[in-house]
Amino acid sequence: MRIDVLTLFPGMLDGFLSESIIGRARERGHLEIGVHNIRDWATDKHRTTDDRPLGGGAGMVMKCEPVFAAIEAVQSPGCRRIYLTPDGAPFSSARAEALSRESHLVFLSGHYEGIDQRIRDTVIDEELSIGDYVLTNGTLAAAVIIDALARFIPGVLGEEKSLTHESFTACLLDFPQYTRPATYRGMAVPEVLLSGNHTAIGKWRRAEQERKTALLRPDLLNSSNTTA
Ligand code: ADE
């Protein structure tokens, strides 16, 4: 998969792109990611990317010219162009899985009070929000979405099976995990985990998933979180 990120703050992605599973996925060629500074497509002498809102009001709005030029420079036939915005559709695990099957994604990070609506109307295919709060710009939202979808690309996670049992794949939260020592500061791990009885362990884990989900996220039990 190829991903291009258009942002005014490319440095915000430096650590994210080189560390851990995403860094390894890039090294191994599962993921090719280009990060581009929108300012590189500004043509005036001050390299302006924003302007005052027409009709008045506070703040600044990202201008059409550099953004159209940036998108047109990186897009490819059949790519999916995604704008990150708090008024986008809520991002989900199901959406991450669907996006992981695309061959080329272009993420546009907004800034200031937003971007000129004509960009959204013509060169954006989808708008996504990562939650009901407002970030200073969409760059970290792009990173969150890339991180979540990369895990669904075959080969990115060493152990494919680690995807199958975890939170949200089955609309349930994860079960509690323990490792050695079996007793730490007087706290013993649940006995069943030391039993070697895999049927009993499986049953206990499933019951814990249901108990935790009912307690912490009852909304997940009534929703079909499987639609993309
Ligand atoms: N840009 C600013 N806030 C955002 C959010 N919550 N989700 C996606 N993009 C954003």
Side-chain angles (χ1 to χ4, degrees):
M1 167 185 278
R2 164 94 197 164
I3 296 177
D4 288 285
V5 184
L6 302 172
T7 169
L8 286 169
F9 309 103
M12 288 181 76
L13 297 174
D14 285 349
F16 164 66
L17 290 176
S18 54
E19 296 283 335
S20 186
I21 289 171
I22 299 297
R24 206 171 335 122
R26 294 177 70 208
E27 274 168 26
R28 292 183 181 169
H30 295 303
L31 205 51
E32 195 183 322
I33 305 184
V35 181
H36 314 273
N37 193 333
I38 296 166
R39 202 172 293 284
D40 292 345
W41 283 276
T43 51
D44 64 311
K45 88 168 184 260
H46 299 294
R47 301 175 76 211
T48 313
T49 56
D50 60 345
D51 205 343
R52 287 190 300 275
L54 285 175
M60 300 292 268
V61 176
M62 252 161 89
K63 290 166 65 63
C64 281
E65 299 92 322
V67 177
F68 269 85
I71 290 177
E72 285 163 1
V74 302
Q75 70 187 0
S76 66
C79 76
R80 194 154 185 85
R81 300 160 298 184
I82 299 169
Y83 173 51
L84 292 320
T85 173
D87 54 11
F91 181 61
S92 64
S93 183
R95 198 68 207 116
E97 184 162 16
L99 289 176
S100 76
R101 290 192 286 268
E102 298 281 341
S103 56
H104 184 193
L105 297 174
V106 175
F107 288 98
L108 173 64
S109 162
H111 188 40
Y112 307 121
E113 269 55 47
I115 67 174
D116 192 298
Q117 184 63 36
R118 290 166 290 187
I119 301 165
R120 300 171 69 162
D121 289 344
T122 57
V123 288
I124 292 298
D125 302 302
E126 177 171 355
E127 301 187 333
L128 288 175
S129 164
I130 61 160
D132 289 341
Y133 40 78
V134 181
L135 305 168
T136 56
N137 70 88
T139 309
L140 291 179
V144 165
I145 292 173
I146 292 166
D147 197 271
L149 72 86
R151 302 173 66 258
F152 289 103
I153 297 173
V156 165
L157 293 185
E159 276 181 89
E160 300 288 333
K161 71 171 175 9
S162 54
L163 264 179
T164 54
H165 289 295
E166 66 172 20
S167 294
F168 301 111
T169 310
C171 297
L172 289 172
L173 299 184
D174 219 349
F175 50 77
Q177 294 278 19
Y178 298 89
T179 187
R180 281 174 288 201
T183 302
Y184 180 69
R185 295 192 177 181
M187 297 176 282
V189 308
E191 195 109 358
V192 65
L193 299 180
L194 308 173
S195 69
N197 180 340
H198 292 288
T199 310
I201 292 170
K203 268 193 189 156
W204 178 84
R205 285 179 166 167
R206 179 71 189 194
E208 281 295 300
Q209 284 189 282
E210 287 167 5
R211 184 188 64 79
K212 265 178 76 175
T213 310
L215 186 69
L216 301 171
R217 291 293 306 274
D219 56 301
L220 288 178
L221 294 173
N222 318 318
S223 77
S224 67
N225 191 33
T226 51
T227 50

